């Protein structure tokens, strides 16, 4: 396995990332790895919660002969810009530029490049797969007839994104997903917090929805809500984003995986993914798996994240993603 520093530009910013190559000679099949929400770096690490999701996937895929590229988000790590002022839709623009940089690298086979995203990264991966310009199939000249048809003439276009992996994906509009989160998080809060909410007659769902309405009324990139500076632009765009349109535009094969104990996206959204995507779809709900792709026995709770983050990403998830991509990115593979 070889790690190479690879930079790219997007919207006037310079992004830093790591291209991980397997042993052997290229060009290699590859996957762009997109992390979850928040100010996380190329490895999916937040300064208070290092998740290592994209780093561990890169290592597993390299062992299977698949190259990967992962990068620091805008304003995070070695990438320029200001994270707190970055919009949700700008993340899609940056991912498209990263995908183009990966496909154009001389060590990469541009016809065999996938995208894999976790949480927010899954939404961006779906958008990238749906909006990437299709590539024409190579034309074949009839034997003994020079010239033949123009490239791609009379042939169906094939997706630029060869395969799509969606880990912990949501498939409802952002406002619905955040309401679902609030409804599930309230019962899992510590007893002292639940007691305080009852004492102050505070309904968590109502409070969250009121904050969303306050953010909708803002016009700046950053705003103060409850005394805390928040990325208002990102939130406004996320609240209004409906993944259904992107899912309906994906014609590459899709693997979608969610944990049974996920408190941040609805596991039932996998059925929406399968219904919306017109191409081949494979879905898995993994027992006891939570949103950060670790096993969580017992009642689901966010409080276990800090302890779980010290453990590796679930082996079944890594094996499932690796084996599925290895099959879809094999030479000559078709959906």
């Amino acid at each position: 396995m070889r790690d190479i520093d690879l930079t790219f530009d997007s919207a006037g910013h310079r992004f830093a990332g790591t291209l991980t190559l397997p042993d052997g000679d290229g060009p290699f099949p590859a996957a762009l790895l997109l992390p979850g929400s928040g100010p996380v770096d190329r490895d999916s690490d937040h300064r208070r919660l290092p998740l290592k999701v994209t780093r561990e996937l890169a290592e597993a895929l390299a062992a299977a002969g698949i190259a990967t590229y992962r990068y620091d988000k805008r304003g995070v790590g070695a990438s320029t810009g200001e994270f707190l002022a970055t919009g949700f839709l700008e993340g899609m623009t940056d991912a498209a530029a990263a995908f183009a940089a990966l496909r154009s690298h001389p060590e990469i086979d541009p016809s065999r490049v996938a995208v894999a995203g976790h949480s927010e990264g899954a939404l961006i991966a779906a958008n990238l797969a749906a909006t990437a310009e299709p590539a024409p199939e190579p034309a074949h000249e009839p034997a003994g007839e020079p010239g033949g048809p123009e490239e791609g003439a009379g042939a169906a276009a094939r997706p630029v994104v060869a395969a799509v992996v969606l880990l912990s994906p949501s498939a409802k509009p952002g406002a619905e997903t955040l309401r679902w989160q609030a409804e599930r998080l309230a019962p899992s809060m510590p007893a002292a917090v639940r007691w305080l909410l009852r004492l102050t007659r505070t309904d968590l769902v109502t409070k969250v929805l009121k904050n969303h309405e306050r953010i909708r009324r803002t016009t700046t990139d950053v705003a103060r809500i409850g005394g805390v500076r928040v990325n208002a632009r990102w939130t406004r765009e996320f609240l209004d984003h409906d993944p259904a349109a992107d899912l309906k535009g994906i014609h590459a094969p899709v693997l979608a995986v969610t944990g049974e104990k996920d408190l941040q996206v609805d596991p039932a959204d996998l059925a929406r993914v399968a219904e919306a995507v017109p191409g081949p779809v494979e879905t898995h709900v993994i027992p006891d798996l939570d949103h950060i792709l670790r096993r969580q026995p017992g009642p689901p709770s966010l409080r276990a994240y800090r302890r779980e983050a010290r453990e590796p990403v679930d082996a079944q998830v890594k094996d499932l993603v690796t084996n599925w991509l290895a099959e879809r990115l094999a030479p000559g593979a078709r959906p």
Side-chain angles (χ1 to χ4, degrees):
M1 187 175 74
R2 296 170 285 152
D3 284 341
I4 299 173
D5 290 334
L6 178 63
T7 62
F8 67 94
D9 294 325
S10 174
H13 297 285
R14 173 58 59 93
F15 289 78
T18 300
L19 175 66
T20 300
L21 300 175
D23 287 336
D25 298 323
F28 300 102
L32 175 66
L33 304 179
L34 302 171
S37 61
V40 296
D41 64 15
R42 68 193 73 183
D43 295 331
S44 302
D45 290 350
H46 186 283
R47 59 187 177 86
R48 292 197 298 267
L49 189 66
L51 294 181
K52 306 180 289 293
V53 171
T54 42
R55 187 179 75 189
E56 291 193 31
L57 285 175
E59 293 169 352
L61 290 167
I66 299 171
T68 57
Y69 183 53
R70 61 198 195 275
Y71 60 93
D72 298 335
K73 286 187 177 183
R74 191 182 298 199
V76 178
S79 295
T80 66
E82 183 184 353
F83 173 79
L84 204 58
T86 302
F88 176 66
L89 301 181
E90 286 181 316
M92 295 177 176
T93 299
D94 298 340
F99 187 76
L102 175 59
R103 291 187 75 233
S104 64
H105 195 278
E107 293 273 13
I108 302 304
D109 179 351
S111 68
R112 295 189 291 153
V113 181
V115 60
H118 172 232
S119 189
E120 179 195 15
L123 294 173
I124 295 174
N127 175 264
L128 179 56
T131 59
E133 289 294 328
E137 292 283 6
H140 300 283
E141 294 184 359
E145 295 183 20
E150 293 182 1
E151 183 174 332
R158 57 188 170 85
V160 167
V161 179
V164 184
V165 176
L166 307 177
L167 300 174
S168 307
S170 58
K172 292 189 281 286
E176 291 184 31
T177 293
L178 293 183
R179 180 186 182 113
W180 184 91
Q181 280 184 16
E183 291 170 347
R184 298 309 184 276
L185 290 177
S188 71
M189 288 183 165
V193 175
R194 285 185 275 117
W195 176 82
L196 182 61
L197 290 174
R198 288 195 299 270
L199 183 66
T200 58
R201 298 181 180 180
T202 301
D203 179 78
L204 180 63
V205 175
T206 301
K207 184 177 179 62
V208 166
L209 295 180
K210 286 182 178 179
N211 282 341
H212 291 168
E213 289 308 310
R214 292 178 64 190
I215 292 174
R216 284 187 186 278
R217 291 193 294 270
T218 64
T219 57
T220 56
D221 292 341
V222 182
R224 284 193 177 274
I225 302 296
V228 178
R229 294 178 76 237
V230 300
N231 188 325
R233 179 181 178 185
W234 186 96
T235 305
R236 290 193 304 267
E237 293 175 350
F238 180 82
L239 287 169
D240 291 338
H241 178 68
D242 187 351
D246 288 334
L247 292 170
K248 292 174 182 177
I250 301 176
H251 296 279
V254 173
L255 171 68
V257 180
T258 298
E260 178 190 40
K261 298 289 180 67
D262 201 318
L263 287 173
Q264 292 171 255
V265 299
D266 187 354
D269 277 9
L270 288 189
R272 293 188 178 210
V273 172
E275 182 179 358
V277 174
V281 183
E282 182 177 324
T283 64
H284 297 265
V285 177
I286 298 182
D288 282 341
L289 193 77
D290 63 18
H291 190 72
I292 65 170
L293 307 179
R294 270 77 169 184
R295 300 282 175 151
Q296 191 178 108
S301 170
L302 297 185
R303 288 174 290 166
Y305 281 10
R306 190 169 298 278
R307 172 182 54 78
E308 292 171 353
R310 295 194 291 267
E311 301 296 326
V313 171
D314 184 69
Q316 183 180 348
V317 173
K318 289 189 287 189
D319 288 345
L320 185 60
V321 172
T322 299
N323 295 335
W324 189 87
L325 278 177
E327 183 178 346
R328 288 354 179 251
L329 298 181
R334 304 299 296 176

